[in-house]
Amino acid sequence: MNPKNVGVIENPDGYGKVGNPVCGDLMEIYIKVKDDIITDIKFKTFGCGSAIATSSMVTELAKGQHVDDAIKITRNDVADELDGLPPQKMHCSNLAADALHEAIKDYKKKKK
Ligand code: FES
């Protein structure tokens, strides 16, 4: 209902974008990282309500975490936090976790 961390970060340290093969929706995640800690995170999606709810959740979970911990946030953690999603909506929650993983990989790639 009140999604948090919606938006874009200019010059992010990591950026991830994934499309949902099931419905064609898109998810983008931007992260700012300092000393391997995610200090800020924002997302943008054209997804459905479940995708927005889970993205908000993922960004809240990831903020303040070490990148190596944040990358372990899985689709299931997200659905658990939301008290389970109907099975036909599980693919929506995958988007956020996958985009976060992409953003972290992007960060690690740039750091090298
Ligand atoms: Fe597309 Fe949920 S229906 S993200």
Side-chain angles (χ1 to χ4, degrees):
M1 278 294 147
N2 283 306
K4 300 193 181 85
N5 307 316
V6 178
V8 171
I9 296 176
E10 299 293 335
N11 304 316
D13 296 312
Y15 167 72
K17 175 169 150 189
V18 287
N20 189 329
V22 181
C23 63
D25 291 334
L26 261 190
M27 169 76 61
E28 292 176 278
I29 285 193
Y30 304 80
I31 54 173
K32 271 280 177 205
V33 183
K34 192 161 188 280
D35 300 330
D36 280 348
I37 304 291
I38 298 177
T39 54
D40 199 11
I41 178 163
K42 295 246 188 298
F43 74 93
K44 217 168 72 174
T45 183
F46 303 101
C48 66
S50 301
I52 294 170
T54 48
S55 318
S56 175
M57 189 65 83
V58 163
T59 55
E60 284 291 293
L61 283 173
K63 200 184 259 183
Q65 288 216 36
H66 193 281
V67 283
D68 291 339
D69 293 322
I71 206 155
K72 291 186 204 132
I73 295 172
T74 65
R75 331 171 141 187
N76 287 335
D77 294 332
V78 179
D80 283 351
E81 284 281 336
L82 291 169
D83 286 332
L85 277 172
Q88 67 271 30
K89 282 288 177 188
M90 277 311 283
H91 73 267
C92 313
S93 63
N94 298 347
L95 269 188
D98 291 350
L100 173 67
H101 296 167
E102 287 302 314
I104 293 172
K105 279 187 222 150
D106 182 46
Y107 161 71
K108 293 202 165 202
K109 211 164 57 196
K110 284 184 184 153
K111 210 176 73 166
K112 275 182 202 145

